[in-house]
Amino acid sequence: MPQCIHKSEKLAQVDLGASGFILIEVLVAMSLIAGSWMTLGTAYQQMVLRLGRSQDQRVQMKKEVDQYELTVLAASQVNREINHARGLKNEPSRVSRRPRHISHPGGAIDKK
């Protein structure tokens, strides 16, 4: 009978040890999760910075286009005055294709 008790105690010890995770497995899983979070955080930060730079470039391009169109508008008004003084009427003028109006040089940029 002592052999049966000794054998059942060994089985009980083996079952208790195999039922949970080993500390190394938990540490590996936690390091994988932390690494993926850091990678995703870095990618998100780079995406936000890229978006900010592209918005700044877009605003700068709109300012330049507005300035160009104001220059063209001023030139067409001068030409219209010259043609009116010469007696020419109904001369074609350049019309902007932009869906929004042109802001004045000292004013703020129009936002939608």
Side-chain angles (χ1 to χ4, degrees):
M1 187 154 191
Q3 288 179 338
C4 288
I5 293 173
H6 185 56
K7 195 174 192 182
S8 64
E9 287 177 3
K10 283 184 179 180
L11 288 175
Q13 289 176 353
V14 170
D15 288 342
L16 290 176
S19 64
F21 288 106
I22 300 175
L23 180 61
I24 293 176
E25 291 175 342
V26 173
L27 290 174
V28 168
M30 288 176 59
S31 66
L32 288 174
I33 290 171
S36 64
W37 276 46
M38 289 173 49
T39 303
L40 288 174
T42 303
Y44 179 74
Q45 183 180 20
Q46 289 176 353
M47 182 183 65
V48 169
L49 289 174
R50 226 178 294 131
L51 177 67
R53 273 189 251 131
S54 68
Q55 286 179 344
D56 290 342
Q57 289 174 351
R58 191 178 307 124
V59 167
Q60 184 62 30
M61 286 180 3
K62 284 183 180 181
K63 283 181 183 179
E64 291 173 2
V65 169
D66 286 346
Q67 186 61 38
Y68 173 75
E69 288 184 354
L70 286 172
T71 304
V72 169
L73 179 65
S76 72
Q77 287 176 348
V78 168
N79 286 338
R80 195 176 315 139
E81 290 173 3
I82 292 171
N83 289 338
H84 183 67
R86 290 181 185 170
L88 301 174
K89 293 184 179 179
N90 297 326
E91 285 292 315
S93 62
R94 181 176 174 166
V95 178
S96 173
R97 294 182 189 176
R98 296 183 64 164
R100 63 183 180 90
H101 67 282
I102 301 171
S103 62
H104 294 289
I109 295 177
D110 297 332
K111 294 184 178 178
K112 288 188 176 184

